[in-house]
Amino acid sequence: MYADDETIRRILLDSGDTWAVVGLSTNTSRAAYGVAGVLQRFGKRVVPVHPKAETVHGEQGYASLADIPFPVDVVDVFVNSEQAGAVADEAVAIGAKAVWFQLGVIDGAAYARTREAGLDMVMDRCPAIEIPSLR
C-alpha cells in the first residue's frame, strides 16, 4: 500500500546518491548500520544523522537533518514510528526528493503529508532488501 515497485525503483535509481540515514550510529548490531553499508556498496553516499553526530562508515555524522551543510536527496528513517513523522517533515523542509521509512516504521499521516509536498515516499520497506531485485 505504501510502496509500489515504480516508486522504489525511482528512489533507488533516480532520486540521487546522497542518503541521510536518520538513526545511524556506530552500533554495529543495529539494522541501520548494516543497511547503510549496503547503500554504500550500491554507490550511495551515506550521511549519518544521530544526536551523537558520530562518524560512521567513514562519513561525518550530524545531529539533525538541518545541520547537514549540503543537499540531501533521500532521507532514510530508522527511528520509531512515533518520531518518524517529524523526521519526514524535516525532510520536506530541507528539500529532499524522497523519504524512506524502514521496516516497521509506519505513519500514514506523515506519508500523506510527504506525498502532498511532492516527495516520493516508501514506508515499511528496506532498501537492502529491494536493491537485489533491481538487478
Side-chain angles (χ1 to χ4, degrees):
M1 173 175 171
Y2 294 110
D4 62 87
D5 290 341
E6 182 53 38
T7 302
I8 289 169
R9 284 187 76 75
R10 189 168 47 249
I11 293 172
L12 289 171
L13 297 175
D14 302 326
S15 290
D17 291 332
T18 302
W19 284 52
V21 181
V22 179
L24 176 58
S25 71
T26 58
N27 185 342
T28 59
S29 67
R30 304 286 299 184
Y33 190 90
V35 171
V38 170
L39 287 167
Q40 278 189 324
R41 289 189 294 280
F42 188 61
K44 305 301 182 188
R45 178 183 185 188
V46 171
V47 181
V49 178
H50 189 278
K52 293 181 182 177
E54 301 169 304
T55 296
V56 184
H57 292 299
E59 290 286 347
Q60 169 64 47
Y62 298 90
S64 72
L65 290 173
D67 291 337
I68 300 172
F70 48 82
V72 169
D73 300 310
V74 180
V75 176
D76 190 4
V77 181
F78 278 90
V79 300
N80 65 45
S81 297
E82 291 76 31
Q83 297 173 328
V87 175
D89 295 340
E90 288 177 56
V92 171
I94 67 163
K97 298 174 189 169
V99 175
W100 191 300
F101 279 11
Q102 285 292 326
L103 291 171
V105 181
I106 301 168
D107 182 333
Y111 181 88
R113 286 193 312 272
T114 303
R115 297 290 295 135
E116 286 172 16
L119 282 69
D120 277 330
M121 184 163 180
V122 170
M123 188 162 62
D124 194 26
R125 300 291 280 269
C126 179
I129 294 170
E130 303 299 334
I131 285 170
S133 67
L134 295 173
R135 301 175 198 263

